[in-house]
Amino acid sequence: MLRIGVCVSGGGTNLQAIIDKVESGAVRNTEIAVVVSNNAGAYALTRAKNHGIPAISVSPRDYETREAFHGALIETLDSFRLDLIVLAGFLVVLPEELVKKYRNRIINIHPSLIPSFCGTGNYGLAVHEHVLERGVKVTGATVHFVDEGTDTGPIILQKAVAVKDDDTPESLQLRVMEEAEWEILPAAIDLIAGGNIKVEGGRVLQTEQG
Ligand code: GAR
Protein backbone atom coordinates (compact mmCIF):
# COMPACT_ATOMS: atom_id res chain seq x y z
CA MET A 1 0.00 0.00 0.00
CA LEU A 2 1.42 3.41 -1.00
CA ARG A 3 0.96 5.83 1.90
CA ILE A 4 0.56 9.34 0.54
CA GLY A 5 0.40 12.76 2.19
CA VAL A 6 -1.27 15.53 0.20
CA CYS A 7 -0.15 19.14 0.75
CA VAL A 8 -2.66 21.86 -0.10
CA SER A 9 -3.19 25.59 0.32
CA GLY A 10 -6.60 26.36 -1.13
CA GLY A 11 -9.79 24.89 -2.54
CA GLY A 12 -8.48 21.40 -3.02
CA THR A 13 -10.18 20.31 -6.24
CA ASN A 14 -7.12 18.24 -7.11
CA LEU A 15 -7.25 16.68 -3.65
CA GLN A 16 -10.92 15.85 -4.29
CA ALA A 17 -10.02 14.16 -7.58
CA ILE A 18 -7.46 12.01 -5.74
CA ILE A 19 -9.91 11.12 -2.95
CA ASP A 20 -12.63 10.17 -5.46
CA LYS A 21 -10.29 7.98 -7.51
CA VAL A 22 -8.81 6.27 -4.46
CA GLU A 23 -12.35 5.56 -3.21
CA SER A 24 -13.55 4.29 -6.61
CA GLY A 25 -10.48 2.08 -7.06
CA ALA A 26 -9.26 3.93 -10.16
CA VAL A 27 -6.14 4.74 -8.14
CA ARG A 28 -5.00 1.38 -6.82
CA ASN A 29 -3.04 0.30 -3.78
CA THR A 30 -3.01 3.80 -2.25
CA GLU A 31 -3.96 5.21 1.14
CA ILE A 32 -4.25 8.95 1.82
CA ALA A 33 -2.61 9.03 5.26
CA VAL A 34 -2.82 12.78 5.85
CA VAL A 35 -3.68 16.13 4.28
CA VAL A 36 -1.46 19.03 5.38
CA SER A 37 -2.10 22.72 4.73
CA ASN A 38 -0.12 25.87 5.45
CA ASN A 39 -3.46 27.66 5.62
CA ALA A 40 -5.84 26.73 8.45
CA GLY A 41 -8.80 28.12 6.47
CA ALA A 42 -8.19 26.05 3.33
CA TYR A 43 -11.38 24.37 2.13
CA ALA A 44 -9.21 21.41 1.18
CA LEU A 45 -8.94 20.55 4.90
CA THR A 46 -12.74 20.30 5.09
CA ARG A 47 -12.75 18.00 2.07
CA ALA A 48 -10.28 15.72 3.85
CA LYS A 49 -12.29 15.67 7.10
CA ASN A 50 -15.47 14.88 5.14
CA HIS A 51 -13.76 11.67 4.03
CA GLY A 52 -12.32 10.75 7.43
CA ILE A 53 -8.76 11.68 6.44
CA PRO A 54 -6.53 13.31 9.09
CA ALA A 55 -6.31 17.03 8.22
CA ILE A 56 -3.56 19.12 9.77
CA SER A 57 -2.67 22.78 9.52
CA VAL A 58 0.99 23.76 9.85
CA SER A 59 0.91 27.53 9.39
CA PRO A 60 3.98 29.82 9.21
CA ARG A 61 1.98 32.24 11.36
CA ASP A 62 2.32 29.91 14.33
CA TYR A 63 6.14 29.96 14.20
CA GLU A 64 8.60 32.73 14.94
CA THR A 65 11.01 31.87 12.15
CA ARG A 66 10.84 30.29 8.71
CA GLU A 67 13.24 27.60 9.97
CA ALA A 68 10.88 26.69 12.80
CA PHE A 69 7.97 26.44 10.33
CA HIS A 70 10.03 24.28 7.99
CA GLY A 71 11.05 22.05 10.89
CA ALA A 72 7.43 21.59 11.95
CA LEU A 73 6.36 20.82 8.38
CA ILE A 74 9.03 18.15 7.98
CA GLU A 75 8.31 16.69 11.42
CA THR A 76 4.58 16.46 10.66
CA LEU A 77 5.12 14.76 7.30
CA ASP A 78 7.75 12.39 8.75
CA SER A 79 5.41 11.34 11.53
CA PHE A 80 3.00 9.79 9.00
CA ARG A 81 5.71 7.51 7.50
CA LEU A 82 4.82 8.52 3.95
CA ASP A 83 5.96 6.81 0.77
CA LEU A 84 4.96 9.79 -1.37
CA ILE A 85 4.19 13.48 -0.82
CA VAL A 86 1.74 15.00 -3.32
CA LEU A 87 1.75 18.78 -3.78
CA ALA A 88 -1.76 19.65 -4.95
CA GLY A 89 -1.82 23.44 -5.10
CA PHE A 90 0.67 23.92 -2.25
CA LEU A 91 1.86 27.55 -2.10
CA VAL A 92 4.94 26.93 0.02
CA VAL A 93 8.44 26.80 -1.47
CA LEU A 94 9.72 23.55 0.00
CA PRO A 95 12.74 23.58 2.30
CA GLU A 96 15.75 21.97 0.63
CA GLU A 97 16.03 19.52 3.50
CA LEU A 98 12.59 18.10 2.65
CA VAL A 99 13.40 17.82 -1.07
CA LYS A 100 16.64 15.97 -0.32
CA LYS A 101 15.04 13.68 2.26
CA TYR A 102 12.21 12.69 -0.09
CA ARG A 103 14.19 12.58 -3.38
CA ASN A 104 11.87 11.28 -6.15
CA ARG A 105 9.15 10.84 -3.53
CA ILE A 106 7.50 14.27 -3.94
CA ILE A 107 5.29 15.07 -6.93
CA ASN A 108 3.66 18.34 -7.99
CA ILE A 109 0.86 19.31 -10.37
CA HIS A 110 1.47 22.41 -12.50
CA PRO A 111 -1.20 23.96 -14.76
CA SER A 112 0.84 24.27 -17.97
CA LEU A 113 2.94 22.16 -20.31
CA ILE A 114 6.36 22.45 -18.63
CA PRO A 115 8.83 23.95 -19.63
CA SER A 116 6.37 26.57 -20.87
CA PHE A 117 4.72 28.93 -18.41
CA CYS A 118 6.41 27.63 -15.28
CA GLY A 119 8.92 28.83 -12.69
CA THR A 120 8.67 31.82 -10.37
CA GLY A 121 5.63 34.02 -10.99
CA ASN A 122 3.67 31.25 -12.69
CA TYR A 123 1.17 30.02 -10.16
CA GLY A 124 -2.55 29.32 -10.39
CA LEU A 125 -4.56 31.85 -12.42
CA ALA A 126 -1.43 33.84 -13.41
CA VAL A 127 -0.31 30.88 -15.54
CA HIS A 128 -3.47 31.10 -17.65
CA GLU A 129 -3.21 34.91 -17.93
CA HIS A 130 0.31 34.47 -19.35
CA VAL A 131 -0.87 31.73 -21.73
CA LEU A 132 -3.61 34.01 -23.11
CA GLU A 133 -1.27 37.03 -23.35
CA ARG A 134 1.22 34.99 -25.40
CA GLY A 135 -1.52 33.65 -27.65
CA VAL A 136 -0.44 30.00 -27.64
CA LYS A 137 -3.05 27.60 -29.02
CA VAL A 138 -2.29 24.60 -26.82
CA THR A 139 -1.68 24.51 -23.08
CA GLY A 140 -2.28 21.78 -20.49
CA ALA A 141 -0.92 20.38 -17.24
CA THR A 142 2.15 18.53 -16.00
CA VAL A 143 2.88 16.21 -13.09
CA HIS A 144 6.56 16.09 -12.15
CA PHE A 145 8.87 15.00 -9.39
CA VAL A 146 10.10 17.88 -7.25
CA ASP A 147 13.78 18.77 -7.19
CA GLU A 148 15.60 21.83 -5.83
CA GLY A 149 14.45 24.09 -8.69
CA THR A 150 11.02 25.56 -9.42
CA ASP A 151 9.11 23.19 -11.75
CA THR A 152 12.39 21.65 -13.00
CA GLY A 153 12.11 18.04 -11.79
CA PRO A 154 11.59 14.92 -13.95
CA ILE A 155 8.25 14.96 -15.80
CA ILE A 156 5.90 12.04 -15.13
CA LEU A 157 2.76 12.85 -17.15
CA GLN A 158 1.47 15.71 -19.31
CA LYS A 159 -1.85 16.36 -21.02
CA ALA A 160 -2.61 19.00 -23.63
CA VAL A 161 -5.70 21.23 -23.66
CA ALA A 162 -6.76 23.49 -26.55
CA VAL A 163 -6.97 27.24 -25.95
CA LYS A 164 -10.11 28.86 -27.38
CA ASP A 165 -10.32 32.37 -28.84
CA ASP A 166 -12.93 33.44 -26.32
CA ASP A 167 -11.22 31.94 -23.24
CA THR A 168 -10.78 34.03 -20.11
CA PRO A 169 -8.12 33.06 -17.56
CA GLU A 170 -10.94 31.60 -15.45
CA SER A 171 -12.54 29.54 -18.23
CA LEU A 172 -9.14 28.22 -19.29
CA GLN A 173 -8.19 27.38 -15.71
CA LEU A 174 -11.37 25.36 -15.25
CA ARG A 175 -10.92 23.46 -18.54
CA VAL A 176 -7.28 22.67 -17.77
CA MET A 177 -8.37 21.32 -14.39
CA GLU A 178 -11.30 19.28 -15.75
CA GLU A 179 -9.56 17.89 -18.84
CA ALA A 180 -6.01 17.53 -17.54
CA GLU A 181 -5.16 18.09 -13.86
CA TRP A 182 -7.90 15.96 -12.30
CA GLU A 183 -6.89 13.10 -14.61
CA ILE A 184 -3.10 13.12 -14.65
CA LEU A 185 -2.45 13.74 -10.95
CA PRO A 186 -4.39 10.65 -9.82
CA ALA A 187 -2.97 8.72 -12.80
CA ALA A 188 0.60 9.55 -11.73
CA ILE A 189 -0.13 8.31 -8.19
CA ASP A 190 -1.53 5.08 -9.64
CA LEU A 191 1.63 4.60 -11.75
CA ILE A 192 3.85 5.12 -8.70
CA ALA A 193 1.71 2.86 -6.50
CA GLY A 194 1.98 0.15 -9.13
CA GLY A 195 5.78 0.48 -9.26
CA ASN A 196 5.44 1.22 -12.96
CA ILE A 197 7.94 4.04 -13.36
CA LYS A 198 11.58 4.76 -12.61
CA VAL A 199 13.73 7.89 -12.79
CA GLU A 200 16.88 7.61 -14.92
CA GLY A 201 19.13 10.44 -16.02
CA GLY A 202 16.56 13.08 -15.12
CA ARG A 203 13.83 11.35 -17.14
CA VAL A 204 10.87 9.26 -16.00
CA LEU A 205 10.63 5.93 -17.81
CA GLN A 206 7.91 3.28 -17.76
CA THR A 207 9.10 -0.05 -16.37
CA GLU A 208 8.14 -3.48 -17.61
CA GLN A 209 5.83 -4.49 -14.77
CA GLY A 210 2.16 -3.70 -14.28
C1 GAR B 1 -4.18 23.98 -9.45
O1 GAR B 1 -4.59 24.53 -10.68
C2 GAR B 1 -2.70 23.63 -9.52
O2 GAR B 1 -2.31 23.16 -10.77
C3 GAR B 1 -2.08 24.96 -9.20
O3 GAR B 1 -2.87 25.46 -8.15
C4 GAR B 1 -4.22 25.03 -8.34
C5 GAR B 1 -4.78 24.49 -7.04
O4 GAR B 1 -6.16 24.21 -7.15
N1 GAR B 1 -0.71 24.81 -8.84
C6 GAR B 1 0.27 25.61 -9.29
O5 GAR B 1 0.07 26.60 -9.98
C7 GAR B 1 1.69 25.21 -8.86
N2 GAR B 1 2.67 26.03 -9.50
P1 GAR B 1 -6.93 23.23 -6.15
O6 GAR B 1 -6.63 23.71 -4.72
O7 GAR B 1 -8.38 23.41 -6.49
O8 GAR B 1 -6.44 21.84 -6.40
Side-chain angles (χ1 to χ4, degrees):
M1 201 58 127
L2 188 82
R3 282 174 63 81
I4 69 169
V6 186
C7 295
V8 293
S9 297
T13 63
N14 278 285
L15 168 68
Q16 191 67 55
I18 298 166
I19 293 172
D20 292 347
K21 293 196 172 180
V22 167
E23 288 184 354
S24 75
V27 172
R28 294 160 290 180
N29 204 29
T30 297
E31 179 192 349
I32 308 174
V34 66
V35 171
V36 175
S37 181
N38 60 316
N39 167 15
Y43 183 64
L45 290 174
T46 305
R47 293 183 192 269
K49 287 180 202 147
N50 288 344
H51 290 263
I53 300 164
I56 297 179
S57 156
V58 182
S59 167
R61 291 182 191 178
D62 297 335
Y63 300 91
E64 277 186 11
T65 63
R66 202 70 189 165
E67 289 68 34
F69 163 62
H70 285 162
L73 182 64
I74 294 170
E75 201 175 298
T76 302
L77 292 166
D78 280 349
S79 72
F80 283 87
R81 295 171 289 105
L82 303 171
D83 301 307
L84 183 73
I85 296 171
V86 178
L87 309 183
F90 192 50
L91 285 172
V92 174
V93 175
L94 295 191
E96 211 173 290
E97 185 188 341
L98 184 67
V99 175
K100 285 195 166 32
K101 198 166 189 178
Y102 288 82
R103 173 80 57 205
N104 294 336
R105 289 196 294 142
I106 308 176
I107 64 172
N108 179 52
I109 178 82
H110 182 77
S112 76
L113 293 174
I114 290 175
S116 291
F117 305 102
C118 64
T120 312
N122 274 304
Y123 190 90
L125 200 60
V127 174
H128 307 291
E129 285 167 1
H130 298 153
V131 163
L132 292 177
E133 276 161 20
R134 187 60 188 82
V136 299
K137 303 302 179 199
V138 177
T139 185
T142 302
V143 184
H144 63 92
F145 284 112
V146 172
D147 66 8
E148 283 78 357
T150 307
D151 303 325
T152 52
I155 291 170
I156 304 168
L157 289 175
Q158 295 190 295
K159 187 159 182 224
V161 174
V163 179
K164 295 180 181 170
D165 287 350
D166 61 354
D167 262 328
T168 61
E170 290 78 10
S171 69
L172 186 57
Q173 179 180 49
L174 181 61
R175 213 164 57 258
V176 167
M177 283 178 156
E178 283 174 346
E179 292 182 13
E181 295 187 43
W182 301 342
E183 275 188 35
I184 64 173
L185 185 56
I189 297 168
D190 184 61
L191 279 175
I192 294 167
N196 293 335
I197 55 172
K198 62 179 177 185
V199 182
E200 228 175 65
R203 293 168 66 209
V204 174
L205 307 174
Q206 304 263 347
T207 57
E208 298 299 316
Q209 8 165 190

